[in-house]
Amino acid sequence: MNIDGIPTRTLRAHPERRVIDIIDQTRLPHALHWVRVATLEEAAHAIRAMQVRGAPLIGATAAYGLAIALDFEASDRRLDEAVAVLGATRPTAVNLHWALARMEKHLRPLPAEARCAAAWIEAAAIAEEDVAQNAAIGQHGLKLWNDLIVADGQTLNIMTHCNAGWLATVDWGTALSPVYAAHDAGVPVHVWVSETRPRNQGLLTAWELEQHGVPHTLIADNAAGLLMRSGKVDAVIVGADRIAANGDVANKVGTYLKALACADNGIPFYVAAPRSTLDFACREGADIPIEERDGDEFRLVHGLDQHAQPSALRQLPAGEDVANPAFDVTPNWLVKAIITERGVCPASREGLLALYPEEAGD
């Protein structure tokens, strides 16, 4: 996708130097700042502090973090340590654990001296697969948009929640990939962007849509129902951090409320995610662990002060008791369809297995 007209990915790997560069997403939308990641600890911090976020990008960053960790030592002990450190950063996003399991399976049989080079190659493969899968999601989603168009020149009004664009992946995005595909194909499209408190990831969505030239409007989270009731929304599409085997979807908190509003207003609610987000070992949404974030994410509001410097404003006393769950679970019956790199399917075990029959034995 584009920044100032220049094709850009969220992650730049430098295997010859054993480092990667990432966009510090905590600095967006006010500043585009690249951060170098050169140690296991820096990779874990980038994931935990949400310098990188979005399930697919977390997975790719973890894969590269493991490669970085094996630079000077690639013993079994070091491999175990790196997997444990990275795996403890974010509990809900299954892509993290999927990527680490894939890396470990690939590296464990190799002699120690061969593991570092192999890790960089495998991490690059994970990143490139993410790009290809997200591009395919865009094309499958574009076909759904075409079904919604009832008149030539009609502007499609799509609503999304959180950020499931290219900032949440290596490139293209998941939920926004069909939006970009439509825009690039000349289909008039407008995006209602939910702010997504308390981390305000909707601001990231608005920033990247602006960079790519896609018309959009940022809204308060609680305005979504009114817009749907007023007939101003044709479809809602979100990404996912984990999809259970039965089609239940864990995504950023607030997703469930949008799905309920869609059901009440007869609006299709779609979920877009690659294979790495599907957890066939997780029977249903009730089995998905929900991450509880630090309460100061709710007590403090971040932005720029009057001198255009990053600043935090306290909106609640430090001792105020708050709950800050990062995700919620949308039951499968509220999901019109799941869009993956292999196609579109019902949000059910049978639907998912129709796309991924090799998982039937799990």
Side-chain angles (χ1 to χ4, degrees):
M1 307 312 296
N2 293 330
I3 297 179
D4 295 330
I6 301 172
T8 307
R9 289 186 176 184
T10 54
L11 186 154
R12 298 170 176 167
H14 305 286
E16 72 285 353
R17 284 176 275 176
R18 301 290 194 257
V19 299
I20 62 172
D21 294 331
I22 60 169
I23 296 174
D24 183 353
Q25 299 192 28
T26 65
R27 301 280 295 272
L28 291 173
H30 305 295
L32 176 61
H33 182 69
W34 290 86
V35 172
R36 175 143 294 180
V37 175
T39 68
L40 169 63
E41 292 71 25
E42 289 172 350
H45 173 76
I47 297 170
R48 187 182 304 108
M50 296 177 67
Q51 288 179 310
V52 296
R53 21 97 19 233
L57 183 57
I58 287 172
T61 303
Y64 277 114
L66 185 56
I68 290 170
L70 301 181
D71 186 12
F72 295 107
E73 179 188 351
S75 65
D76 286 351
R77 183 197 63 80
R78 178 61 169 171
L79 180 59
D80 291 341
E81 176 191 17
V83 169
V85 168
L86 292 165
T89 53
R90 301 290 303 275
T92 303
V94 74
N95 305 60
L96 168 67
H97 308 287
W98 169 87
L100 291 173
R102 172 170 163 174
M103 292 287 288
E104 186 175 11
K105 180 180 179 180
H106 182 71
L107 298 173
R108 183 72 68 180
L110 301 178
E113 61 271 17
R115 284 176 175 168
C116 182
W120 281 93
I121 293 172
E122 190 67 9
I126 288 174
E128 291 302 325
E129 287 172 19
D130 179 67
V131 175
Q133 289 174 348
N134 293 332
I137 287 172
Q139 294 306 308
H140 293 307
L142 178 57
K143 296 175 183 177
L144 294 177
W145 297 161
N146 289 333
D147 293 339
L148 293 175
I149 298 174
V150 296
D152 290 341
Q154 172 191 345
T155 296
L156 278 176
N157 283 290
I158 306 299
M159 182 177 287
T160 191
H161 185 66
C162 195
N163 173 258
W166 71 267
L167 285 171
T169 67
V170 180
D171 206 350
W172 283 105
T174 54
L176 288 190
S177 187
V179 171
Y180 289 127
H183 176 77
D184 292 349
V187 177
V189 61
H190 166 266
V191 183
W192 296 107
V193 180
S194 184
E195 62 175 342
T196 319
R197 289 275 294 139
R199 292 287 303 213
N200 290 327
Q201 290 100 325
L203 276 62
L204 305 181
T205 297
W207 180 84
E208 67 168 84
L209 289 171
E210 177 68 25
Q211 295 297 320
H212 204 70
V214 179
H216 61 280
T217 304
L218 191 66
I219 63 168
D221 290 336
N222 289 335
L226 173 64
L227 291 169
M228 294 187 203
R229 177 65 73 180
S230 301
K232 296 180 179 180
V233 180
D234 295 308
V236 174
I237 186 168
V238 300
D241 285 80
R242 187 181 304 214
I243 298 176
N246 72 334
D248 291 346
V249 176
N251 192 49
K252 184 57 56 182
V253 67
T255 300
Y256 177 41
L257 294 178
K258 285 184 170 55
L260 287 170
C262 282
D264 188 49
N265 290 280
I267 295 170
F269 179 87
Y270 297 109
V271 177
R275 167 62 186 89
S276 55
T277 304
L278 307 179
D279 188 355
F280 286 95
C282 180
R283 188 172 61 89
E284 60 183 6
D287 298 327
I288 299 174
I290 301 300
E291 177 182 6
E292 182 76 23
R293 300 283 299 177
D294 191 300
D296 275 349
E297 292 184 350
F298 190 34
R299 299 185 189 99
L300 302 175
V301 178
H302 293 268
L304 299 183
D305 63 18
Q306 60 183 342
H307 304 294
Q309 296 300 310
S311 181
L313 174 69
R314 180 171 292 281
Q315 65 172 354
L316 291 172
E320 182 70 32
D321 190 25
V322 300
N324 189 22
F327 305 95
D328 60 25
V329 176
T330 299
N332 58 11
W333 65 271
L334 289 173
V335 179
K336 174 71 172 179
I338 294 173
I339 311 167
T340 82
E341 76 282 358
R342 291 193 183 179
V344 180
C345 72
S348 65
R349 180 171 179 82
E350 295 74 20
L352 290 169
L353 288 178
L355 291 183
Y356 300 92
E358 68 273 18
E359 303 294 339
D362 287 2

